[in-house]
Amino acid sequence: MRVVVLTGAGISAESGVPTFRDADGLWEGHQVEEVATPEGYDLQPTMVQRFYDDRRAALAHVQPNPAHLALARLEQVLGDDFLVVTQNIDDLHERGGSTRVLHMHGELLSALCRGCRQRMRWEQDLVDFPPCPRCGVAELRPDVVWFGEVPYEMDRIAFALERCDLFVSIGTSGAVYPAAGFVQAATTYGARTLELNLLPSEGASHFAESRQGLAGTLVPQWVAQLLGEGPS
Ligand code: BJW
């Protein structure tokens, strides 16, 4: 059985990573247009660099939770028939043991040079605009996908959605495209669909099944069920 899992901010919430649109979420203290668009970055680059520097630094203080660990366990069983597509820019899937992960909205631990367009692993602050180690131009920005930009890995994601038997969406509001449209694509190609979310998402009606609760509880339960270990 081929399984594609889409994850959003909700899967990292119990690790202490703020979501975007919940109360106390990241958007509560910031205008989305200011920190998550190329235009916002051009207007206030230092403020945007600080926003991402703070989030990068915060990674050192969070750990994967049982939901991340359960997905890594499922990958160990399904191997190449399993894929995590994450909208998250944290590294909690990888630290939880997953290796088959596509970061469609980029990664905090990566920088993108606006001079030479190279992407590179980056663990330090960017607020002082250090020169690119490759081309020397001081135009490094967070390697994340802002509104109006094209998400990463779309070809590989489309290929996986066409071939999967089961599509599972975990901890995402379904407010942001193209990820919000994956459930309809998977359905069109014949997959069964399941949503695991604290509350019904904006796209809940598109899923064949929807379960509400904490990801740290629901995901291990679902994985155990899929592996024949729990009640069906
Ligand atoms: C729990 C939980 C717990 C809490 N357990 N659950 C009009 C119509 C349609 C589309 C558009 C339109 N106008 C413009 C567009 C396109 C636009 C878009 O979607 N806009 C919408 C606002 C309408 N999209 C784009 O511009 C994208 N690019 C694009 O479309 O390019 C064209 C193209 C596509 C494909 C091929 C070729 C061309 C780019 C989108 C980039 C989004 N970027 C961000 C910032 C990334 C960097 C960063 O992290 O700062 O990505 S925005 C932000 O939202 C971030 C997230 O990844 C994304 C989704 O958020 P997510 O993960 O859903 O978080 P929340 O907070 O919204 O929800 C959390 C959920 O978890 C909630 O439901 C909670 O209930 C739940 N939860 N705790 C389980 N413990």
Side-chain angles (χ1 to χ4, degrees), residues 27 32 34-42 48-49 51-52 55 105 112 114 141-151:
W27 292 162
V32 180
E34 286 179 359
V35 293
T37 61
E39 296 79 13
Y41 178 72
D42 286 338
V48 175
Q49 294 283 25
F51 177 70
Y52 285 96
R55 291 171 62 191
H105 290 166
L112 170 67
R114 292 175 110 197
R141 55 160 273 189
D143 187 10
V144 301
V145 178
W146 288 319
F147 287 109
E149 297 182 322
V150 179

Side-chain angles (χ1 to χ4, degrees), residues 93-187:
H93 283 299
E94 288 85 352
R95 282 201 269 149
S98 290
T99 63
R100 295 183 50 74
V101 183
L102 299 180
H103 284 268
M104 65 179 291
H105 290 166
E107 295 179 68
L108 275 170
L109 294 173
S110 179
L112 170 67
C113 177
R114 292 175 110 197
C116 65
R117 305 305 299 172
Q118 273 286 333
R119 306 176 70 190
M120 61 204 85
R121 183 162 174 96
W122 198 269
E123 298 178 7
Q124 314 303 319
D125 284 353
L126 287 169
V127 71
D128 291 331
F129 298 94
C132 171
R134 302 252 176 21
C135 73
V137 174
E139 286 267 19
L140 292 177
R141 55 160 273 189
D143 187 10
V144 301
V145 178
W146 288 319
F147 287 109
E149 297 182 322
V150 179
Y152 288 121
E153 306 283 9
M154 288 308 299
D155 289 347
R156 288 170 76 186
I157 294 169
F159 184 74
L161 290 173
E162 283 175 28
R163 287 157 47 95
C164 73
D165 303 297
L166 175 60
F167 172 78
V168 184
S169 174
I170 302 170
T172 176
S173 57
V176 176
Y177 288 84
F182 290 171
V183 59
Q184 286 150 296
T187 302

Side-chain angles (χ1 to χ4, degrees), residues 70 73 218-231:
R73 193 163 82 87
L218 289 185
V219 179
Q221 276 174 2
W222 163 68
V223 168
Q225 180 188 345
L226 197 71
L227 297 179
E229 301 165 351

